[in-house]
Amino acid sequence: MAGLARRFGDLELAEDCVQDAAAEALERWAREGEPANPAGWLVTTARRKALDRLRRQHLGDQKLALLAATTDETLTEPDDDRLALVFACCHPALPRDQQVALTLRSVCGLTTGEIAAAFLVSEPAMAQRLVRAKRSLRAGRVRFRVPDPDEIGDRLREVLAVIYLVFNEGWLASSARVPEREELVRESVALADLLIRLMPREPEALGLRALIAFHQSRAATRFASWGRLVLLAEQDRSHWDRAAITHGTSLLDRAIAMGRPGPYQIQAAIAALHAGALSWEQTDWRQIRLLYSRLDELAPSPVLRLNRAVATRYVMGAEAALAEVDREAEVLAGYRLLHSTRAALLRDLGRAEEAHAADARAYELAVNPAERDLLAERLSGEPPPGLA
């Protein structure tokens, strides 16, 4: 779909034709068998359907000629094409949340449910948001094109958000099928690396890539052999990837030296403190809490204030941390990590029944299988150390 959208300047046309091609594939492949090159078949069929539609709608000889001249039969496109398409889809004619959501759906291929989980809204609400975005583009006759160089900076914040949300979905999937999606992690890394090549003097691009590197350093220790999520407090730090930590540190140092702090640099700094601690107990929680407070000044968010409450637990005690969590309870009522964090704090305070109820609510809200296994273990009466 990325190639069709880029060639036509029409996101909706590309999306419709790819969906039509997929529907035809389900019918024909069941009857005739799968072709030798399924990806090429889908691209060719989508292109043919786009050609037929353009002919019917008389949208111009130039687009027809361009389409007919393109004969490659592969869905694999250069990564720089994908990054260009992300920039193109983050169109300032749309509100920021619609830009990011539409790009995640149309360029990165996330489902409506996955995007809804990223934005902490219901799937029907996100579906309506996507419909409004497409309607706005149509009503405004917005042309879908790669922005000029002097327009790129205006779209950077949204592009960074897209890359980070793709990474998050890969790091801990919001579906019940798999605990993680490595292909999305790889795509986010490729896009972040390309962004640095495109904008080497942009500290937030470096900060985001550093943040991803610090997270990736823990990849080998995140899941137990039977698939349960292993919390940061339990992970074997001797198995962390020191090369990834060194790479993240180098990127973060480059970003900080530019003297333009931003949210991704601060998040990377928090991740660096975790990566540099020899043990959970030696973590510099006071500095982490200060960084979260600074982050809240730059990019206020109830989720980051929930994360700050984890640090508050180790700086000021569980009671103070619980008070911070409860201040976010209404807005994050449907967020599983609010309830699992609250459960851990209640358990610290000896309020076992309330802790059990909070864990039970977190279990109801969790979808990821590794998270559900962890919460089920807590509910069985054998809670591991640390917070979710």
Side-chain angles (χ1 to χ4, degrees):
M1 184 178 69
L4 289 176
R6 177 170 46 79
R7 289 170 187 130
F8 299 137
D10 191 330
L11 178 64
E12 190 167 10
L13 171 66
E15 192 173 56
D16 289 347
C17 291
V18 170
Q19 289 176 353
D20 289 348
E24 184 175 332
L26 290 174
E27 180 182 343
R28 289 188 57 179
W29 295 0
R31 185 175 65 248
E32 303 172 6
E34 187 174 301
N37 182 5
W41 188 97
L42 284 169
V43 168
T44 301
T45 302
R47 186 181 297 116
R48 173 175 53 78
K49 290 181 179 296
L51 179 60
D52 291 343
R53 185 174 298 195
L54 288 174
R55 281 175 176 151
R56 287 196 304 270
Q57 296 176 354
H58 306 289
L59 290 184
D61 294 338
Q62 187 175 10
K63 284 186 177 180
L64 292 174
L66 178 61
L67 179 62
T70 308
T71 58
D72 60 287
E73 294 193 356
T74 173
L75 277 175
T76 303
E77 296 186 314
D79 285 335
D80 54 351
D81 277 2
R82 180 63 61 89
L83 181 61
L85 203 57
V86 170
F87 270 101
C89 202
C90 290
H91 200 289
L94 296 173
R96 182 173 186 265
D97 61 344
Q98 291 184 18
Q99 291 180 43
V100 175
L102 185 62
T103 306
L104 289 170
R105 180 71 186 93
S106 300
V107 180
C108 303
L110 270 62
T111 67
T112 303
E114 290 165 347
I115 301 167
F119 280 82
L120 302 183
V121 300
S122 68
E123 187 168 346
M126 180 52 65
Q128 284 300 311
R129 188 177 299 182
L130 292 168
V131 168
R132 287 196 300 272
K134 294 177 184 179
R135 190 177 296 150
S136 296
L137 290 175
R138 217 169 27 243
R141 299 182 179 274
V142 173
R143 177 164 174 76
F144 188 70
R145 63 174 180 82
V146 178
D148 295 330
D150 60 353
E151 299 174 316
I152 287 177
D154 294 336
R155 305 188 187 195
L156 177 63
R157 186 172 68 150
E158 289 71 32
V159 171
L160 289 167
V162 166
I163 295 172
Y164 191 37
L165 290 174
V166 170
F167 172 77
N168 284 341
E169 179 60 31
W171 190 243
L172 194 66
S174 60
S175 73
R177 299 186 302 274
V178 292
E180 60 182 339
R181 295 179 59 185
E182 293 182 359
E183 79 281 4
L184 291 181
V185 172
R186 288 193 297 270
E187 179 170 358
S188 68
V189 168
L191 289 172
D193 285 340
L194 281 164
L195 187 59
I196 291 174
R197 281 170 45 195
L198 177 67
M199 309 179 76
R201 297 294 302 168
E202 176 46 59
E204 281 292 81
L206 292 165
L208 173 58
R209 183 62 183 91
L211 175 60
I212 292 174
F214 287 129
H215 283 315
Q216 284 187 297
S217 71
R218 301 188 283 107
T221 64
R222 295 179 62 234
F223 298 101
S225 58
W226 60 93
R228 177 178 70 78
L229 187 66
V230 179
L231 300 177
L232 184 61
E234 297 179 283
Q235 291 176 14
D236 184 347
R237 298 178 183 227
S238 68
H239 290 159
W240 285 3
D241 186 341
R242 308 313 302 182
I245 293 173
T246 299
H247 182 50
T249 302
S250 175
L251 291 167
L252 182 57
D253 286 346
R254 283 172 57 191
I256 292 173
M258 295 178 189
R260 288 179 284 143
Y264 291 104
Q265 295 169 71
I266 294 175
Q267 290 181 74
I270 293 169
L273 287 169
H274 283 297
L278 296 178
S279 68
W280 177 259
E281 292 74 21
Q282 295 181 56
T283 304
D284 189 346
W285 291 109
R286 189 172 300 279
Q287 183 63 27
I288 286 174
R289 190 175 186 280
L290 288 172
L291 286 170
Y292 270 123
S293 295
R294 175 61 176 145
L295 185 57
D296 192 41
E297 294 172 3
L298 292 176
S301 159
V303 173
L304 75 84
R305 289 191 291 272
L306 176 65
N307 292 333
R308 183 179 62 187
V310 176
T312 299
R313 176 193 188 190
Y314 297 100
V315 176
M316 303 167 62
E319 189 169 349
L322 182 61
E324 291 185 6
V325 169
D326 285 346
R327 282 198 289 272
E328 311 302 330
E330 184 176 353
V331 68
L332 294 179
Y335 187 42
R336 69 204 186 283
L337 294 184
L338 175 122
H339 299 284
S340 60
T341 301
R342 192 169 184 274
L345 296 171
L346 288 165
R347 196 175 295 113
D348 274 3
L349 295 170
R351 295 158 63 177
E353 290 186 10
E354 293 175 82
H356 188 277
D359 268 335
R361 180 58 179 150
Y363 183 83
E364 290 174 1
L365 293 169
V367 177
N368 184 282
E371 280 191 308
R372 288 179 65 84
D373 286 348
L374 172 62
L375 289 164
E377 183 176 310
R378 281 185 175 179
L379 289 167
S380 73
E382 299 175 357
L387 290 173

